[in-house]
Structures are given as structure tokens and as C-alpha cells.
């Protein structure tokens, strides 16, 4: 293999202890100062994970959830059917459960409903008597469906990272790092990463005594981030680094069962890698929507007993093996 340098001149050392080739590669990526190189090579959770309230509408979201909890409203969770949407729905479900709130989850059928908030989802939330619905990893293009929810007296909060249309849906609030004039400093969060920021904000305001425990969900955040092929730079790099560490000693029974069933070499002594998520974990989660229904993967990641977790993991393993 022949290396082709962007410049014929090898840059001077900017940080002692780094191999010259590493320094050249970092500079080629635009990391030219010692500080930038340190951030890339040694991501730090406390330093590199931003305050969720830098999102311009985050206070509005937290206040609406606080009101819903006080008035004992039922909240709807609509997650997309891919691995990013599934992990997003798991994160918000965990957060609302920790807050002691009533909720229902709806994940669409890939073949019958397609991407985004569906009319079937609108009917489901209306019949379930929800008053607030979150759309996760989707919603930016669902003007008609969100207006329909509004006609039923249901407010919508969009948590998404996709394209922002010129005309925004009639949502109560939108958390999307790509919104025009959005003050959040990192634009490359996936659906799970953006949902994590909302849960982080909810814990900060409504459950501060358990904020440190939130790091245990980073295995889910890392899975969504890598599965959605997001760039591993900036905040994503920190979330995935620590998420991989958590995955090696995960408390989540669904991940434990998936790792055992798939014979994956992940534990405290064999660290998970981003490639492990890309080629081993994400395909198994995505097999649910492609071969059956994405709710199987959601149920696996929220399983509360070993028997059901093992059963669902085996089912996903078989679906993954049967994929064409």
C-alpha cells in the first residue's frame, strides 16, 4: 500500500510522544493543534459531552414533560423501525419510566407504513388517549400527521436529526441539531444521540440525584450512533468511546442475551469495538424490521428477565440468519 500525503513536507511535531505518521494523519484530518489532537485521540465525557440546554427549545421540552408528569398524562413514543429509531425509543422509554410516567410505545411496520409518523400511529395514540407524543428519529416531514394529532388534542415533540424542511411541522417543540439558527454546537448527532440529550436534560432538571447513573445507557447511545453510520468525531466520539466501555459490562439483559446468542466476544476483558456494532449488533437489531417487526428488537433491549431476553435474542438470531 502506498501512502499519499496531502503535502510533500512532513509537518513538525505538535505533540510529543505521537508517532510521526499519526501526527501527519491527524493534520490531514484538520487536527493541527495539540488540543485538537487530544480531543480526537482521548475523548472525555465531562469535557466533550455538551450541556443539553444549549438546544434552544430544550427548556420548553422539559417543562412540557414536567407538566405531563404532574398531571399524570399518558405520553406516546413513536420510534422509527431501524436500529437508530429502536435505540431512541428505548432511551426515552427508560427515561419516562425513571420519572414514573405513563407511556405507550408504537413502532411502525416497515413494509406497511414506511418511514416517519404514520396515520396508523396517529390512530393508535388517539385511541390510547395520549396527550403528548414524541417522534424519535423522524417527524420533520410529517406535517399532515402532526396536524392530525393536534386535531385530536395531542401535542407533538419532534426529536430528529434529519433534513429540515423550509416549513416546519406544527409541533409543540423540535429538538434537531440541524435546525436553522440552532445554537447547539454539534450537528452530527443521530436520533439516539439527540434523544439522549433530551433524557439528559430531563434527569438534570427532574431527577438530578440519578444523573450519574445515566452513563449506563451509553451502550444504547453508541449502538444507535454507529448503526446509523454517524461520523465518529466531536461529541459522537466521546459518546461512542464510553458507550463501548459500558457495552463490555452492560447491565441490559437484552444486550447480554444478544452477545451470548451471537457468540460475540464482548466482556470486561474483550472490549467492544465500533466494528462490532456495525457488523454484529446492528444487523441483528435491523433484522427485526426487515424480516418481522422492529418491536422485537425494542422488546429485547427493554427485557426485564433473562428468559424473555434469551427467547427474543434467539428469535433475532434466527431472523438475521434467514436474511437474504
Amino acid at each position: 500500500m502506498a501512502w499519499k500525503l496531502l503535502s510533500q513536507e512532513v509537518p513538525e511535531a505538535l505533540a510529543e510522544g505521537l508517532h510521526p505518521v499519526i501526527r501527519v494523519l491527524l493534520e490531514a484530518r484538520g487536527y493541527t493543534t495539540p488540543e485538537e489532537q487530544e480531543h480526537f485521540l482521548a475523548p472525555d465525557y465531562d469535557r466533550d459531552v455538551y450541556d443539553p440546554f444549549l438546544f434552544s427549545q430544550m427548556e420548553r421540552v422539559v417543562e412540557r414533560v414536567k407538566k405531563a408528569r404532574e398531571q399524570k398524562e399518558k405520553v406516546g413514543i413513536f420510534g422509527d423501525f431501524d436500529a437508530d429509531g429502536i435505540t431512541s425509543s428505548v432511551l426515552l422509554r427508560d427515561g419516562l419510566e425513571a420519572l414514573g410516567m405513563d407511556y405507550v410505545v408504537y413502532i411502525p411496520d416497515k413494509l406497511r407504513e414506511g418511514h416517519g409518523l404514520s396515520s396508523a400511529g396517529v390512530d393508535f395514540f388517539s385511541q390510547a388517549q395520549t396527550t403528548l407524543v414524541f417522534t424519535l428519529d423522524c417527524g420533520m416531514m410529517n406535517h399532515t400527521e402532526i396536524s392530525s394529532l393536534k386535531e385530536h388534542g395531542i401535542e407533538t415533540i419532534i426529536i430528529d436529526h434529519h433534513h429540515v424542511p423550509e416549513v416546519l411541522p406544527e409541533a409543540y417543540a423540535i429538538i434537531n441539531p440541524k435546525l436553522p439558527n440552532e445554537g447547539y454546537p454539534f450537528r452530527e448527532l443521530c436520533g439516539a444521540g439527540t434523544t439522549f440529550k433530551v433524557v439528559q436534560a430531563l434527569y438534570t432538571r427532574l431527577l438530578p440525584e440519578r444523573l450519574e447513573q445515566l452513563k449506563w445507557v451509553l451502550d444504547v447511545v453508541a449502538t444507535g450512533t454507529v448503526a446509523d453510520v454517524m461520523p465518529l468525531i466531536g461529541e459522537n466520539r466521546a459518546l461512542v468511546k464510553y458507550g463501548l466501555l459500558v457495552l463490555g459490562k452492560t447491565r441490559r439483559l437484552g444486550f447480554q442475551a444478544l452477545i451470548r446468542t451471537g457468540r460475540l466476544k464482548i466482556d470486561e476483558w474483550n472490549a467492544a469495538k465500533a466494528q462490532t456494532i456495525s457488523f454484529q449488533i446492528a444487523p441483528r437489531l435491523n433484522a427485526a424490521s426487515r424480516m418481522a417487526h422492529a418491536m422485537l428488537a425494542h422488546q429485547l433491549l427493554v427485557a426485564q428477565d433473562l428468559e424473555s431476553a434469551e427467547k427474543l435474542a434467539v428469535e433475532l438470531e434466527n431472523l438475521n440468519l434467514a436474511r437474504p
Side-chain angles (χ1 to χ4, degrees):
M1 178 183 292
W3 290 92
K4 294 183 179 180
L5 298 180
L6 296 179
S7 170
Q8 294 301 315
E9 296 182 6
V10 177
E12 293 183 4
L14 293 175
E16 292 188 14
L18 287 180
H19 191 283
V21 174
I22 299 296
R23 291 198 297 269
V24 171
L25 293 175
L26 287 170
E27 287 198 354
R29 290 185 174 213
Y31 302 107
T32 58
T33 69
E35 182 182 21
E36 290 171 341
Q37 293 176 354
E38 181 186 359
H39 280 240
F40 184 83
L41 293 175
D44 182 80
Y45 185 90
D46 293 326
R47 181 193 65 203
D48 299 330
V49 174
Y50 295 109
D51 180 350
F53 291 98
L54 292 174
F55 275 102
S56 58
Q57 299 186 46
M58 192 64 82
E59 289 282 5
R60 182 171 171 82
V61 171
V62 172
E63 285 303 312
R64 182 62 185 88
V65 173
K66 180 181 178 182
K67 175 187 173 184
R69 184 172 70 161
E70 290 171 348
Q71 298 187 358
K72 302 188 184 305
E73 299 178 50
K74 183 182 288 186
V75 178
I77 299 172
F78 185 97
D80 202 11
F81 52 72
D82 66 0
D84 190 19
I86 292 164
T87 49
S88 298
S89 63
V90 169
L91 289 166
L92 186 60
R93 175 178 179 151
D94 283 358
L96 296 181
E97 198 161 277
L99 291 169
M101 298 180 66
D102 190 11
Y103 62 84
V104 290
V105 178
Y106 187 94
I107 298 177
D109 182 278
K110 179 179 180 179
L111 296 179
R112 291 190 298 103
E113 298 172 69
H115 285 281
L117 179 59
S118 62
S119 58
V122 172
D123 292 340
F124 173 84
F125 291 125
S126 176
Q127 293 170 13
Q129 298 183 321
T130 61
T131 51
L132 175 65
V133 166
F134 284 85
T135 66
L136 308 178
D137 193 34
C138 62
M140 295 305 300
M141 305 302 293
N142 293 120
H143 298 71
T144 300
E145 292 78 12
I146 289 172
S147 295
S148 181
L149 284 174
K150 191 173 183 180
E151 291 171 3
H152 286 89
I154 302 171
E155 294 177 320
T156 305
I157 294 174
I158 297 172
I159 304 178
D160 201 359
H161 70 115
H162 291 108
H163 170 75
V164 177
E166 289 188 14
V167 179
L168 297 176
E170 294 183 287
Y172 179 86
I174 300 175
I175 302 296
N176 185 332
K178 294 185 175 68
L179 279 177
N181 303 316
E182 177 56 74
Y184 197 75
F186 186 66
R187 291 173 54 86
E188 299 300 330
L189 292 170
C190 66
T194 311
T195 303
F196 173 73
K197 304 309 296 187
V198 172
V199 177
Q200 186 184 17
L202 293 175
Y203 269 59
T204 300
R205 288 283 192 270
L206 307 179
L207 211 59
E209 68 277 10
R210 293 177 60 180
L211 185 58
E212 277 299 307
Q213 297 179 30
L214 197 56
K215 291 178 182 177
W216 282 102
V217 307
L218 291 177
D219 50 359
V220 180
V221 180
T223 297
T225 301
V226 175
D228 222 40
V229 200
M230 303 307 294
L232 297 185
I233 58 175
E235 188 170 20
N236 281 346
R237 199 164 182 81
L239 292 173
V240 171
K241 172 190 173 180
Y242 287 89
L244 292 173
L245 293 174
V246 173
L247 188 59
K249 47 187 175 182
T250 183
R251 296 175 174 178
R252 198 168 292 271
L253 297 180
F255 272 142
Q256 292 175 11
L258 186 149
I259 289 168
R260 282 194 300 272
T261 303
R263 297 182 176 85
L264 309 183
K265 294 182 179 180
I266 303 174
D267 53 40
E268 291 189 61
W269 300 275
N270 296 284
K273 299 179 181 179
Q275 293 95 321
T276 311
I277 295 176
S278 293
F279 299 109
Q280 301 292 337
I281 295 176
R284 287 170 166 83
L285 297 179
N286 283 323
S289 64
R290 291 172 181 169
M291 302 296 290
H293 197 288
M295 187 56 81
L296 292 173
H298 176 93
Q299 290 171 334
L300 172 69
L301 295 185
V302 299
Q304 296 298 306
D305 64 88
L306 281 172
E307 184 179 353
S308 60
E310 293 286 354
K311 181 179 178 181
L312 288 163
V314 169
E315 189 170 356
L316 284 184
E317 184 70 17
N318 290 335
L319 289 173
N320 188 51
L321 292 172
R323 284 197 309 168

